[in-house]
């Protein structure tokens, strides 16, 4: 039997769940138990490195793009940023399907190798004589394509854990992902000490500087990740009760294995969960996008102040998310996943409702140098540029405030700083709660059958949300202002809560639905 002494290890962030309950009255050797959780932890690391791969260069893309190709503009920057999510959206179903029929080592190894190669390409995009911006576009798209392995990771973890372990494991996975997004920019900041010139390895024409060093580190970590997957990862699959299942992925036959239980997956619940997940990521993506232009408009912050203060706020939200992920593991045992998902959506709605402009105080109007100094709100790419212009400009940033060319600045009340901070805290509570509960419920709805393709579609829907959210908010905010933008978001959340209410009773585990386990 797996030792019950490991129970003390279950509470930390990377711990696991409760052996010793009724569902665990099943023989599982200690060796098998350790191997299963060792493999899961390898995939926690893979998830962390995947999110680091996205965020480690996000603060330096714009100056690097300008350095290598003077023809690159704000519109093209938007495509470079979006190419990661586009690549992930395309790759997720492919890798998911692959993992259903072959050992998961294969899609994981191939996807990470693609990311390593893409990072190496990114380090060399300054070498060609022309069309450098297109090489960068391809490199970031391929990094996103490699990140399609998120579907494989989550499907593996869903298949290798019992129902009682599932919520904790999904929370750990999301926490690792959040940590990657937080620490990526930190790594980038450390490499900034190298400077733009850096050093050049003439033999292989490799320039190591503040732009290329982060991706070279990412490539090195990717190689280590591949070695760990090939040497440590083992295929494990258990049913909802924790009994080992036999499937194409499993490498070692066992007389204790059981076949997949019969029964159909509730497709209505599957589609509804995909829609819920899309809306959840759509809303958070648009919030991240609008933070900088909103604070510059409302509080007359300079670009330097906006990047500094908003960076601190978003970093704090990342830390808050990790804490929420840890707390959810305990809370879900008392109130259940569906209740947490509903509560998270309500908290998000309250957060955006608080953001609605009230009162009779108006933001400072920016009257001068409208064309050159107005806050970039026209396109997603132009919004992102505000994050990179600081190192390239002097401290005389010119007029600040809400540009008069945005007509709504003249009649829309300002959003007070206390409003904004309160809203950010609430959204920082609601989003991670909804995120991890969506994944957890989805994996339980699918049951012990291979989940690769289904997880691929869920990941693809999230990638689409990260593309469309920034585009939506940049257009609506620039044209109609925060009152209309956040009112529409509130309406969207109300519709999402309504959808959740309609399908609430259907969002149950596969085994519970078919009467094999009592909820």
């Amino acid at each position: 039997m797996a030792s019950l002494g490991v129970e003390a290890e279950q509470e930390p962030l990377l711990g696991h769940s409760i052996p010793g309950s009724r569902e665990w009255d099943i023989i599982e050797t200690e060796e098998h138990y350790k191997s299963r959780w060792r493999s899961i932890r390898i995939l926690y690391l893979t998830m962390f490195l995947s999110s680091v791969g996205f965020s480690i260069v996000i603060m330096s893309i714009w100056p690097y793009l300008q350095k290598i190709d003077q023809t690159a503009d704000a519109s093209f920057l938007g495509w470079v940023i979006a190419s990661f999510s586009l690549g992930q959206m395309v790759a997720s179903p492919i890798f998911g399907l692959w993992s259903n029929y072959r050992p998961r080592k294969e899609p994981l190894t191939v996807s990470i190798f693609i990311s390593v190669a893409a990072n190496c390409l990114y380090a060399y995009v300054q070498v060609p004589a022309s069309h450098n911006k297109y090489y960068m576009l391809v490199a970031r798209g391929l990094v996103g394509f490699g990140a399609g392995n998120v579907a494989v990771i989550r499907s593996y973890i869903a298949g290798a854990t019992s129902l009682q372990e599932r919520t904790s494991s999904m929370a750990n996975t999301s926490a690792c992902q959040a940590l990657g997004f937080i620490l990526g920019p930190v790594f980038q900041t450390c490499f900034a000490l190298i400077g733009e010139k850096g050093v050049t390895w003439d033999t292989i024409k490799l320039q190591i500087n503040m732009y290329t060093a982060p991706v070279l580190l990412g490539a090195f970590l990717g190689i280590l990740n591949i070695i760990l997957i090939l040497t440590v990862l083992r295929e494990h699959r258990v049913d909802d009760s924790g009994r080992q299942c036999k499937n194409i992925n499993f490498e070692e036959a066992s007389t204790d294995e059981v076949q997949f239980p019969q029964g159909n997956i509730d497709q209505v619940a599957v589609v509804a969960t995909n829609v819920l997940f899309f809306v959840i990521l759509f809303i958070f993506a648009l919030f991240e996008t609008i933070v900088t232009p909103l604070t510059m408009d409302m509080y007359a912050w300079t670009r330097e102040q906006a990047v500094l203060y908003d960076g601190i706020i978003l970093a704090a939200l990342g830390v808050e998310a990790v804490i929420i992920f840890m707390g959810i593991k305990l809370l879900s045992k008392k109130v259940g996943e569906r209740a947490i998902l509903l509560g998270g959506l309500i908290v998000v709605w309250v957060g955006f409702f608080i953001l609605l402009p009230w009162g009779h105080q108006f933001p400072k109007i920016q009257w001068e140098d409208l064309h050159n100094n107005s806050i970039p709100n026209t396109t997603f790419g132009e919004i992102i540029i505000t994050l990179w212009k600081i190192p390239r400009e002097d401290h005389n940033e010119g007029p600040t405030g809400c540009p008069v060319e945005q007509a709504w600045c003249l009649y829309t009340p300002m959003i007070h700083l206390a409003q904004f901070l309160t809203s950010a805290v609430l959204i920082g509570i609601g989003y991670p709660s909804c995120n991890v509960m969506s994944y957890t419920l989805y994996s339980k709805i699918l049951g012990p059958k291979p989940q690769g393709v289904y997880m691929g579609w869920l990941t693809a829907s999230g990638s689409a949300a990260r593309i469309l959210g920034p585009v939506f908010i940049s257009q609506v905010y620039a044209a109609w202002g925060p009152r209309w933008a956040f009112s529409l978001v509130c309406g969207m959340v109300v519709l999402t809560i309504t959808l959740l209410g309609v399908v609430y009773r259907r969002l149950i585990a596969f085994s519970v639905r078919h009467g094999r386990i009592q909820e």
Side-chain angles (χ1 to χ4, degrees):
M1 285 287 288
S3 173
L4 298 183
V6 300
E7 192 165 353
E9 185 191 351
Q10 293 159 10
E11 292 306 322
L13 181 60
L14 297 182
H16 28 74
S17 288
I18 304 175
S21 60
R22 184 176 61 84
E23 285 80 6
W24 274 79
D25 293 336
I26 303 160
I27 297 296
E28 182 183 38
T29 64
E30 185 172 358
E31 180 182 358
H32 181 273
Y33 180 84
K34 289 182 177 179
S35 173
R36 183 163 63 90
W37 281 101
R38 191 182 303 119
S39 298
I40 290 173
R41 290 191 182 98
I42 290 297
L43 295 185
Y44 289 162
L45 174 64
T46 304
M47 178 67 85
F48 171 79
L49 295 177
S50 177
S51 59
V52 167
F54 170 77
S55 62
I56 198 170
V57 298
I58 200 68
M59 297 299 293
S60 64
I61 287 180
W62 175 238
Y64 190 36
L65 183 60
Q66 286 187 315
K67 179 182 179 181
I68 65 172
D69 197 325
Q70 297 297 321
T71 65
D73 57 12
S75 176
F76 193 83
L77 173 64
W79 282 107
V80 172
I81 298 295
S83 63
F84 180 94
S85 295
L86 284 170
Q88 188 179 51
M89 183 173 65
V90 172
S92 296
I94 297 173
F95 288 133
L97 180 64
W98 188 351
S99 70
N100 274 3
Y101 296 99
R102 297 289 301 169
R104 293 180 182 85
K105 285 184 179 181
E106 294 179 7
L108 286 172
T109 302
V110 170
S111 62
I112 297 171
F113 179 81
I114 291 173
S115 294
V116 169
N119 281 328
C120 293
L121 173 61
Y122 187 92
Y124 277 95
V125 293
Q126 81 280 356
V127 173
S130 61
H131 302 100
N132 305 75
K133 64 182 182 181
Y134 296 107
Y135 288 105
M136 178 180 281
L137 179 69
V138 171
R140 290 303 294 169
L142 287 175
V143 171
F145 193 91
N149 61 18
V150 168
V152 182
I153 294 170
R154 291 195 183 272
S155 67
Y156 179 98
I157 293 173
T161 53
S162 66
L163 280 184
Q164 289 198 1
E165 298 170 312
R166 192 75 47 78
T167 301
S168 175
S169 301
M170 287 296 180
N172 292 340
T173 308
S174 296
C176 290
Q177 190 174 34
L179 279 173
F181 286 126
I182 294 170
L183 295 179
V186 175
F187 295 151
Q188 169 69 75
T189 302
C190 295
F191 285 117
L193 299 174
I194 300 175
E196 281 196 338
K197 186 176 181 180
V199 295
T200 302
W201 191 350
D202 293 325
T203 306
I204 57 175
K205 297 182 179 180
L206 176 62
Q207 189 176 34
I208 303 176
N209 54 31
M210 61 184 289
Y211 305 127
T212 61
V215 295
L216 293 174
L217 173 65
F220 174 73
L221 293 176
I223 293 172
L224 291 181
N225 197 186
I226 290 175
I227 294 172
L228 287 173
I229 287 174
L230 293 177
T231 58
V232 179
L233 184 71
R234 296 291 181 267
E235 298 287 346
H236 295 283
R237 177 172 289 279
V238 298
D239 65 10
D240 286 349
S241 297
R243 294 174 298 177
Q244 187 173 305
C245 291
K246 183 178 181 180
N247 64 92
I248 186 75
N249 308 100
F250 203 81
E251 297 168 341
E252 300 172 3
S254 170
T255 55
D256 295 328
E257 293 170 351
V258 297
Q259 301 296 326
F260 291 130
Q262 299 300 313
N264 296 323
I265 296 172
D266 187 346
Q267 298 297 335
V268 173
V270 167
V271 173
T273 309
N274 272 275
V275 173
L276 291 170
F277 187 69
F278 174 88
V279 174
I280 291 164
L281 264 69
F282 181 91
I283 289 172
F284 190 72
L286 66 84
F287 177 75
E288 284 185 312
T289 301
I290 206 59
V291 163
T292 297
L294 177 68
T295 52
M296 293 175 72
D297 284 346
M298 292 294 144
Y299 315 123
W301 288 353
T302 64
R303 292 185 179 91
E304 184 173 15
Q305 289 174 322
V307 170
L308 174 62
Y309 300 154
D310 293 336
I312 293 172
I313 291 170
L314 291 177
L317 292 184
V319 174
E320 181 186 15
V322 174
I323 295 172
I324 295 298
F325 289 137
M326 295 170 66
I328 277 176
K329 296 193 292 184
L330 301 175
L331 185 60
S332 64
K333 297 174 184 177
K334 298 181 179 180
V335 300
E337 289 90 357
R338 293 177 297 178
I340 294 177
L341 177 58
L342 177 59
L345 286 171
I346 293 173
V347 171
V348 168
W349 181 88
V350 173
F352 277 101
F353 184 79
I354 289 174
L355 267 183
L356 294 175
W358 303 97
H360 302 287
Q361 186 176 350
F362 295 88
K364 173 187 173 183
I365 303 299
Q366 178 193 133
W367 296 99
E368 302 177 21
D369 299 333
L370 299 181
H371 178 71
N372 293 327
N373 292 294
S374 59
I375 297 172
N377 287 317
T378 304
T379 68
F380 176 40
E382 290 172 336
I383 288 176
I384 297 298
I385 286 178
T386 62
L387 298 174
W388 291 289
K389 281 192 173 180
I390 308 312
R392 307 177 64 88
E393 298 180 350
D394 57 29
H395 294 287
N396 183 20
E397 300 204 20
T400 58
C402 198
V404 71
E405 65 178 2
Q406 294 178 162
W408 56 264
C409 292
L410 299 175
Y411 57 81
T412 302
M414 74 175 294
I415 299 170
H416 296 280
L417 184 59
Q419 279 182 265
F420 173 72
L421 294 177
T422 303
S423 172
V425 170
L426 291 174
I427 293 171
I429 294 172
Y431 166 71
S433 303
C434 294
N435 180 285
V436 70
M437 288 303 103
S438 298
Y439 270 119
T440 302
L441 286 169
Y442 193 66
S443 67
K444 290 185 176 183
I445 290 167
L446 297 177
K449 297 182 180 181
Q451 300 185 5
V453 174
Y454 285 103
M455 282 294 179
W457 287 118
L458 189 70
T459 304
S461 69
S463 300
R466 287 195 297 270
I467 297 170
L468 298 177
V471 174
F472 166 83
I473 196 64
S474 62
Q475 298 299 321
V476 175
Y477 178 83
W480 298 321
R483 178 170 285 168
W484 270 102
F486 300 140
S487 294
L488 290 174
V489 172
C490 286
M492 194 180 304
V493 177
V494 169
L495 292 177
T496 306
I497 292 173
T498 303
L499 172 63
L500 177 58
V502 171
V503 299
Y504 193 86
R505 293 183 179 276
R506 305 187 73 138
L507 302 182
I508 57 176
F510 179 92
S511 297
V512 174
R513 179 170 173 259
H514 291 282
R516 297 186 180 92
I517 293 178
Q518 290 187 351
E519 191 171 18

